[in-house]
Amino acid sequence: MAKPIITLSGLKAVIMFGMIVIILVGIKIAAEIIVPFILALFIAIILNPMIRRLERVRVPRVMAIVLVISVIVCFVVLLLAYLGTTLNELTRTLPQYRSSLISPLQTLEPWLQRAGISVSVDELVKYIDPNAAMTLVTSLITQLSNAMTSIFLLLLTVVFMLTEVPQLPIKLQQLMSRPAEGMGAIQRALDSVSRYLVLKTAISLVTGLVVWIMLAMLDVRFAFVWALLAFSLNYIPNIGSVLAAIPPVAQVLVFSGLYEALLVVAGYLAINLVFGNIIEPRMMGRGLGLSTLVVFLSLIFWGWLLGPVGMLLSVPLTIAVKIALEQNEGGKSIAVLLSDVTKN
């Protein structure tokens, strides 16, 4: 009797792989709905420790939620108003970039020619179109004016999530066949993700503040915008701090010269060295439980699946997936591959 070409275990693996592909495609298609929900979930995880602290001082949970959300709404309104003004000013400044770029390019042209690279400044200037940048900034201003509706719905979702937190463990236990193990895994995931998000938010806030002070001392225009960019991109592991430094360095190089640009680069390097290599590892403790390669690959994967929000939340999402995989025999081997330690 001939042996079957595909064994039962192989068939299970193929079916499981197919199911994973279908799920990922579904998430990709429904990203516009899923991304706000995930973002609201992680915001609720960040805010829940504050709500608990207020409850400890005998503030009712509903009042605590209203108080925290009200502070956030006021801050967001002021931030969007300031950003709108700053982006309008940036729009008026953009046409100056073309004329300001000519002088540095003319200085660079002889060096390139000595290196055997034939470059014409006149031809390069033709490709510099400030109108495209102005269109981009105008689009950002329009999006900011429309962002209040999205932010309101997002915060409303966060309010309902925070309100449901006390009843959530009881509901989850009723859905699980093994409540003790399941709730233990969920609690570990929540503890790990919450600790990471709270510490990362605190570090990102201080990083943005230090960047703001540094750029203001160097008299760099739009220092607050670049500081806000540094705060946001600091959530992206490995490459976020590098991406945040590119716009201010380019601006200073064009308008102020090479020496001032090198000072800005040195400032960013010092900030990233202190916060990225000294303060953050000490505050995070033993580590995230993920290998460096997995952190980088998760950045690419979640960015592809969920867009920019996926890149910002790539580490906590991967931590949650790893803990979920550890709960069944079939996923433990994959969880070990994601881990930064090997078991003997």
Side-chain angles (χ1 to χ4, degrees):
M1 184 176 178
K3 293 183 179 180
I5 298 175
I6 301 177
T7 61
L8 184 60
S9 60
L11 183 60
K12 287 182 179 179
V14 171
I15 293 173
M16 185 176 295
F17 179 76
M19 292 172 63
I20 292 172
V21 170
I22 293 171
I23 292 171
L24 292 179
V25 171
I27 293 174
K28 180 74 172 174
I29 295 172
E32 292 185 2
I33 300 173
I34 294 173
V35 167
F37 176 79
I38 293 176
L39 189 57
L41 177 62
F42 282 110
I43 292 174
I45 290 173
I46 293 173
L47 296 180
N48 194 51
M50 299 183 195
I51 305 299
R52 286 183 177 177
R53 285 180 179 274
L54 290 173
E55 283 185 303
R56 288 172 190 166
V57 295
R58 299 181 182 272
V59 177
R61 185 173 184 86
V62 175
M63 288 297 298
I65 293 172
V66 170
L67 179 63
V68 171
I69 296 298
S70 298
V71 172
I72 292 174
V73 168
C74 292
F75 176 76
V76 169
V77 169
L78 293 174
L79 179 63
L80 289 178
Y82 183 82
L83 277 179
T85 305
T86 306
L87 288 175
N88 279 322
E89 185 182 353
L90 180 60
T91 304
R92 293 192 298 269
T93 307
L94 282 173
Q96 301 174 16
Y97 277 84
R98 183 166 184 168
S99 57
S100 301
L101 275 172
I102 295 175
S103 179
L105 288 174
Q106 287 175 340
T107 305
L108 190 63
E109 185 178 9
W111 294 0
L112 294 175
Q113 288 178 349
R114 290 192 200 114
I117 302 173
S118 179
V119 176
S120 172
V121 173
D122 295 332
E123 292 296 325
L124 282 176
V125 170
K126 292 179 182 178
Y127 290 100
I128 301 171
D129 184 14
N131 292 326
M134 290 179 66
T135 303
L136 176 62
V137 175
T138 305
S139 174
L140 286 174
I141 296 173
T142 305
Q143 289 177 11
L144 276 177
S145 63
N146 297 330
M148 286 305 298
T149 304
S150 301
I151 292 173
F152 174 75
L153 292 175
L154 182 68
L155 291 177
L156 194 61
T157 307
V158 172
V159 168
F160 285 118
M161 286 182 175
L162 290 172
T163 307
E164 285 289 320
V165 167
Q167 294 82 26
L168 193 59
I170 300 173
K171 294 179 180 179
L172 290 176
Q173 285 178 355
Q174 294 176 353
L175 296 175
M176 296 176 182
S177 57
R178 293 181 294 178
E181 295 180 12
M183 291 304 299
I186 291 174
Q187 191 60 49
R188 285 201 308 276
L190 284 175
D191 290 342
S192 299
V193 171
S194 177
R195 183 173 182 275
Y196 172 82
L197 287 175
V198 170
L199 289 177
K200 192 69 173 177
T201 301
I203 293 169
S204 298
L205 278 171
V206 177
T207 301
L209 181 61
V210 174
V211 168
W212 188 11
I213 294 172
M214 183 264 293
L215 294 178
M217 290 176 64
L218 294 175
D219 199 24
V220 177
R221 297 184 67 183
F222 314 114
F224 180 78
V225 175
W226 306 137
L228 187 63
L229 185 67
F231 161 75
S232 303
L233 295 185
N234 196 58
Y235 284 92
I236 300 178
N238 302 323
I239 64 172
S241 55
V242 177
L243 295 176
I246 293 174
V249 170
Q251 174 190 307
V252 174
L253 181 63
V254 170
F255 283 101
S256 303
L258 181 60
Y259 176 71
E260 288 78 3
L262 289 176
L263 286 178
V264 175
V265 171
Y268 270 97
L269 286 175
I271 291 170
N272 292 327
L273 177 65
V274 172
F275 285 94
N277 297 332
I278 299 175
I279 295 178
E280 186 169 329
R282 289 188 178 182
M283 291 184 68
M284 291 295 180
R286 190 175 61 86
L288 302 172
L290 303 173
S291 71
T292 306
L293 176 61
V294 168
V295 170
F296 181 72
L297 293 178
S298 68
L299 174 67
I300 298 173
F301 172 75
W302 293 111
W304 165 79
L305 189 64
L306 301 175
V309 173
M311 297 178 72
L312 293 174
L313 300 176
S314 60
V315 172
L317 285 169
T318 307
I319 291 173
V321 170
K322 176 177 173 289
I323 293 175
L325 289 170
E326 290 173 347
Q327 303 315 302
N328 59 80
E329 293 298 327
K332 284 184 178 179
S333 57
I334 301 176
V336 171
L337 290 176
L338 299 177
S339 176
D340 61 347
V341 293
T342 55
K343 294 181 180 181
N344 294 325

